[in-house]
Amino acid sequence: EVQLVQSGAELKKPGESLKISCKASGYNFITYWIGWVRQMPGKGLEWMGAVQPGNSDTRYSPSFQGQVTISADRSISTAYLQWNSLRASDTGIYYCVRFQIAVGWLKYWGQGSLVTVSS
Amino acid sequence: EIVLTQSPGTLSLSPGERATLSCRASQSVRGTSFAWYQQKPGRAPRLLIYDASSRATGIPDRFSASGSGTDFTLTITRLEPEDFAVYYCQQYGSSPAYSFGQGTKLEMK
C-alpha cells in the first residue's frame, strides 16, 4: 500500500528556519516524483514544485522559486520542504504528493503538515 | 504558467440535483492532461478524474467530466449528501509546472 506520511504540526516565529518531511512507503521511491502543494488558511491549492528522488532533479513553480528548497534522501525514502527564513505568509497546510512526470495526476497525498508562523 | 479559472465560485444545490462545474485555462492544455479533485474539510484532496474524463478507482459513475483545449467540465448527476465539498481542477500538461484552479464550493441549499 502506497503511503506518504508527513511530519507533524509546527509553530514557528518569523525569521526562523524549518524543514518538514514526507516519508514514502509501499513503492520504489526513486521511480516517482514527489511534489509539494500549499493550502493557505481557507484558500485553494497551490503547486510549489517537485523533486525526482532518483537523480535529485528539482523544479519549482515561479511563485516559490527562491522561497523554499525541495529535496529528497533516497536512502530513507523521504522528501523535504525547507525554509531558511519563515514569514507569517508561510502559514498554511503543506501536502506532499506522488506522481509520474508523464502522467501528472495526483492520486497519493500525504495527510498534510500544518505550519503556523506567528510572533 | 497556465492559469485555471473555475466557475462558479459557489454552487448551491439540493441532493438529487445535477451539478455542472467549469474550469477554463489561460492557454490550451496539452492533450488531455487535466484532473479534478474533491476536498472535504480537514482532509487532503481526493482524485476524482484524470486525463480529462477517466474516473479514478472507486469514484461513483455519477461523476463525469469532459473537455479539451481550454474548457473543461465536471458533472455530478443526482447529488448525494457526501458530494458537498470543494472541487479543484488541475492541469499537468506543462509538467512538472502544474497548476490548480481556485476551487468551486458545492454547498447544500
Side-chain angles (χ1 to χ4, degrees):
Chain A
E1 178 194 8
V2 174
Q3 285 194 310
L4 300 173
V5 179
Q6 298 184 230
S7 50
E10 300 274 1
L11 175 59
K12 306 293 279 188
K13 290 181 166 50
E16 291 186 329
S17 62
L18 176 64
K19 192 174 189 177
I20 63 175
S21 66
C22 170
K23 182 167 178 59
S25 62
Y27 71 98
N28 187 346
F29 185 58
I30 65 172
T31 57
Y32 291 85
W33 286 68
I34 294 286
W36 290 92
V37 176
R38 182 175 78 174
Q39 188 165 40
M40 296 174 73
K43 302 299 184 182
L45 307 173
E46 300 175 87
W47 182 259
M48 301 178 71
V51 60
Q52 209 307 323
N55 59 13
S56 295
D57 185 7
T58 310
R59 314 282 178 88
Y60 294 93
S61 168
S63 300
F64 292 92
Q65 179 81 47
Q67 309 303 309
V68 297
T69 301
I70 294 171
S71 61
D73 185 339
R74 56 192 285 181
S75 69
I76 54 172
S77 300
T78 300
Y80 301 97
L81 177 63
Q82 180 177 356
W83 295 261
N84 289 334
S85 181
L86 286 160
R87 299 179 283 195
S89 57
D90 293 316
T91 294
I93 298 174
Y94 293 83
Y95 295 99
C96 63
V97 292
R98 187 196 87 162
F99 66 100
Q100 285 184 298
I101 194 71
V103 284
W105 64 78
L106 309 173
K107 181 177 180 179
Y108 295 102
W109 294 67
Q111 83 277 17
S113 295
L114 173 62
V115 174
T116 304
V117 184
S118 174
S119 54
Chain B
E1 182 180 350
I2 297 177
V3 176
L4 301 179
T5 303
Q6 293 187 239
S7 61
T10 302
L11 187 56
S12 299
L13 294 170
S14 300
E17 291 192 295
R18 177 188 186 96
T20 302
L21 289 67
S22 297
C23 185
R24 174 162 290 178
S26 60
Q27 56 186 282
S28 186
V29 174
R30 179 180 62 84
T32 54
S33 302
F34 205 84
W36 291 91
Y37 300 84
Q38 176 194 69
Q39 188 179 33
K40 295 183 178 180
R43 305 291 299 272
R46 177 174 71 145
L47 176 68
L48 297 176
I49 302 287
Y50 64 95
D51 286 352
S53 61
S54 297
R55 274 189 303 276
T57 305
I59 302 304
D61 60 7
R62 63 179 182 273
F63 290 89
S64 64
S66 63
S68 63
T70 59
D71 291 292
F72 297 85
T73 301
L74 174 69
T75 301
I76 313 170
T77 58
R78 304 180 310 277
L79 283 166
E80 297 286 345
E82 62 267 27
D83 298 336
F84 293 91
V86 180
Y87 292 82
Y88 294 96
C89 58
Q90 179 223 358
Q91 68 78 25
Y92 47 90
S94 54
S95 63
Y98 302 152
S99 51
F100 293 96
Q102 82 280 17
T104 290
K105 181 178 182 180
L106 177 57
E107 64 177 23
M108 197 177 300
K109 187 187 289 184

